[in-house]
Amino acid sequence: MMHRIDQRFVELRREGRKALCVYLCVGDPSLEASGFLALEAIDAGADILELGVPFSDPTADGPTLARAAQRAIAAGATLERVLEVAARVRARSEAPLVLFTYYNPVFVAGEAKVARLAREAGVDALLVVDLPPEEAGPLRACAAAEGLGVVPLVSPTSHAARIEAIRRASTPLDGAPRAFVYSISMTGVTGASPSDLAAAARDAEGMRRSFDRPVLVGFGIDGGASARLAAGQASGGADGVVVGTALARRIEQAASGDEQRRAVCSFVGELRRALDEPA
Amino acid sequence: MTAAGYFGPFGGRFVAETLVPALEELDHARQELLPSPAFQAELHELLRSYVGRPTPLTEAKRLARRIDPDGGAIAELLLKREDLCHTGAHKINNALGQLLLAKAMGKTRIIAETGAGQHGVATATAAALLGLPCEVYQGALDMERQAPNVARMRLLGARVVPVESGSRTLKDAMNEALRDWVTNVRTTYYCVGSAAGPHPYPTLVAELQRIIGDEARAACATRGALPDAVIACVGGGSNAIGIFKAFEGDAGVSLYGVEAAGHGLDTDRHAATLSRGRVGVLHGAKTYVLCDEAGQVEEAHSVSAGLDYPGVGPEHARLRDTGRATYVSATDEEALAAAREVARSEGIVVALETAHAFAAIGAIARREAEARGRPSRILVCLSGRGDKDLDTITAYVGGK
């Protein structure tokens, strides 16, 4: 049987559509609210959810997501509680779920335990932002044993030999889904303004050929227009986009829980419509 | 793939993918450029004519007597005088070496993080000397408690960037420097201040700081004997690893690192990572970290801004676990008292970091003397001078 996350990419390809992956920092504003916001995002057209584990020292994140992480930690979010939220989302939806985290919470809890809990919660893949493939062997083995993927990241600084090394080190293990490759659109932290999303889309196309896997472009996508640019043409470019900071900013600025839900619904809807517009 | 840069199970390279090629490039420069005769000649000429190396050993006779009034534990107390380096601390060895490397690599902009400001001053100094623009990230709290060093960095032409996030100390300054580096990695060189961070920094910094130990070992040998014990303070641990390196192979020499116990090891206000931390991953390396069971990094505390760090260099983690080095701790109070003691008995105002090493001499000397059945010879790394800490020290000492 095909893994849930791979199945989704097959469906998207068949429909000729780009994937919309939405990142939520779980626990911001509260663990309970995050569950509702995740379902709201799926209803509004998100294909894949990245559920973020907040970390005290998020060196790859800009100020917006760093603030979201601080609020989430203050609200009691831990890796295990994020997985409880994932389980609640899974009970209501078949959308692929990716657990996004820094490495320390995974390492301290134990990789085998995290992989097991993630599988039990219905998570499909893990994305560890500060775990290059050279260091990811133990986690990949534990994840594969539970039928989970580990998403590799590629950056604009990844030269050809490096991309080949990443490809070799991240070839899906037996039992793991193929999942996707995360292509970072720029050198920078999350939420900065990207220099050239059209170039990022072209790079993603090359990456898909190298990896023979779907490629999502993330970082610096703040609305429908930039989502379309980053995704590229209907037939080429990337297989989809990841949006995080722009959504976190709307959640931060909303005055009430209702407003947060409306903000998620309308912003994810805007991204969905932009991606589905004919080229 | 096997990962490079491990000390036993510690070390490695846990960073965002964007930084991996830059770390590979730096490691290549470390292996190719750093050992080349031309590079070494340039570095050593600067260390001689600009930094003032070699720094001497000072025998601290009055201090030895005050610590050990009946003469039963200390035969000889030697101080390795890194406070006599230009800019007043061992940090200049590392900053000059790294910035020469950065220049040879064609980097056009320097960034650094700093706690007490000594690494910031050293980096700003080397950047001025080599004509490179420099920005230094410093926690806003540390900027308040280290005002003289902020002024020095600015005078040297560096931009000091206040970091308001988290505990507003060294850890947060390092986070912010890493964010800058991820953004500007193609042009910018990140000069890490301690033997911490992702590979190759722990190795590179240790290579640049081992001159402390090499000089001390040679000077001890001309005095007729190696020390029984070598003592150094440990925050990230660069002065300690620098002096330990030269004695690691001498089985008869005990190595002691002294961490900051802040308000006490049994409180939650300390920076004693090796004594009270757990194995985790922080700032790119697997090492001992002060973090909770959910993996969130805890705020460290020390009266010394330079030791106020919840991680530690990964090589120290190995030295701890293999038992080759012993790690003890000294509280804020003990360090402040030691600073006063060294000033009164030797006429040297030491940095508060260094004061932690001095605070541990008595206990270590007694332990060594008992084990050896004779008074012991002690070598202490006097890592830096205390001008920057004068306000803190005098506020404590007052009229005492």
Side-chain angles (χ1 to χ4, degrees), chain B residues 296-359:
Chain B
Q296 307 296 354
V297 179
E298 292 169 335
E299 292 183 3
H301 164 80
S302 169
V303 69
S304 164
L307 300 183
D308 202 347
Y309 182 60
V312 64
E315 197 166 3
H316 286 293
R318 184 194 59 184
L319 290 173
R320 172 200 185 276
D321 278 16
T322 58
R324 179 62 190 94
T326 304
Y327 294 86
V328 298
S329 63
T331 63
D332 289 351
E333 287 265 328
E334 288 165 342
L336 285 158
R340 176 177 180 272
E341 193 63 39
V342 182
R344 300 273 168 104
S345 55
E346 295 296 334
I348 302 171
V349 176
V350 299
L352 277 177
E353 291 90 332
T354 310
H356 286 74
F358 279 93

Side-chain angles (χ1 to χ4, degrees), chain B residues 110-351:
Chain B
I110 303 299
I111 56 169
E113 88 294 335
T114 199
Q118 218 59 46
H119 172 59
V121 168
T123 308
T125 299
L129 180 70
L130 300 176
L132 293 162
C134 174
E135 288 184 42
V136 180
Y137 289 92
Q138 187 171 28
L141 174 66
D142 289 343
M143 285 179 72
E144 285 166 27
R145 52 181 176 171
Q146 306 288 169
N149 270 345
V150 175
R152 286 171 80 191
M153 286 185 268
R154 287 179 173 152
L155 182 62
L156 290 159
R159 197 163 83 90
V160 184
V161 186
V163 178
E164 296 286 355
S165 59
S167 53
R168 304 158 76 226
T169 61
L170 181 54
K171 159 180 95 93
D172 310 288
M174 197 152 179
N175 288 340
E176 218 47 52
L178 281 165
R179 290 183 180 118
D180 181 317
W181 200 32
V182 156
T183 306
N184 302 297
V185 62
R186 291 192 173 99
T187 57
T188 296
Y189 183 89
Y190 178 17
C191 183
V192 171
S194 197
H199 177 65
Y201 283 108
T203 302
L204 173 63
V205 175
E207 282 168 357
L208 291 169
Q209 292 293 10
R210 76 165 289 155
I211 192 166
I212 305 171
D214 287 342
E215 287 177 2
R217 193 175 188 285
C220 287
T222 60
R223 294 175 72 97
L226 292 181
D228 296 314
V230 177
I231 307 176
C233 64
V234 177
S238 71
N239 87 92
I241 212 71
I243 198 162
F244 287 178
K245 277 270 164 215
F247 297 97
E248 202 184 339
D250 300 308
V253 180
S254 308
L255 307 177
Y256 290 93
V258 187
E259 298 192 293
H263 293 192
L265 288 187
D266 297 325
T267 71
D268 58 1
R269 300 268 293 156
H270 62 77
T273 311
L274 289 162
S275 307
R276 285 289 187 272
R278 66 175 85 217
V279 180
V281 173
L282 177 65
H283 294 146
K286 192 179 286 179
T287 182
Y288 282 89
V289 179
L290 295 179
C291 72
D292 66 17
E293 56 195 24
Q296 307 296 354
V297 179
E298 292 169 335
E299 292 183 3
H301 164 80
S302 169
V303 69
S304 164
L307 300 183
D308 202 347
Y309 182 60
V312 64
E315 197 166 3
H316 286 293
R318 184 194 59 184
L319 290 173
R320 172 200 185 276
D321 278 16
T322 58
R324 179 62 190 94
T326 304
Y327 294 86
V328 298
S329 63
T331 63
D332 289 351
E333 287 265 328
E334 288 165 342
L336 285 158
R340 176 177 180 272
E341 193 63 39
V342 182
R344 300 273 168 104
S345 55
E346 295 296 334
I348 302 171
V349 176
V350 299

Side-chain angles (χ1 to χ4, degrees), chain A residues 72-158:
Chain A
I73 291 169
T78 60
L79 191 149
E80 293 196 21
R81 286 190 176 145
V82 170
L83 288 172
E84 290 166 15
V85 173
R88 290 205 291 277
V89 174
R90 175 56 71 229
R92 307 269 299 275
S93 166
E94 277 302 300
L97 302 177
V98 177
L99 188 76
F100 174 103
T101 181
Y102 285 80
Y103 187 48
N104 197 47
V106 176
F107 178 79
V108 168
E111 292 164 313
K113 179 181 171 191
V114 169
R116 178 175 55 79
L117 291 177
R119 192 254 306 152
E120 287 170 0
V123 164
D124 301 288
L126 312 174
L127 192 164
V128 188
V129 70
D130 56 350
L131 190 69
E134 292 86 346
E135 308 281 5
L139 181 65
R140 279 162 41 79
C142 293
E146 301 289 348
L148 306 180
V150 175
V151 172
L153 293 105
V154 184
S155 141
T157 59
S158 310

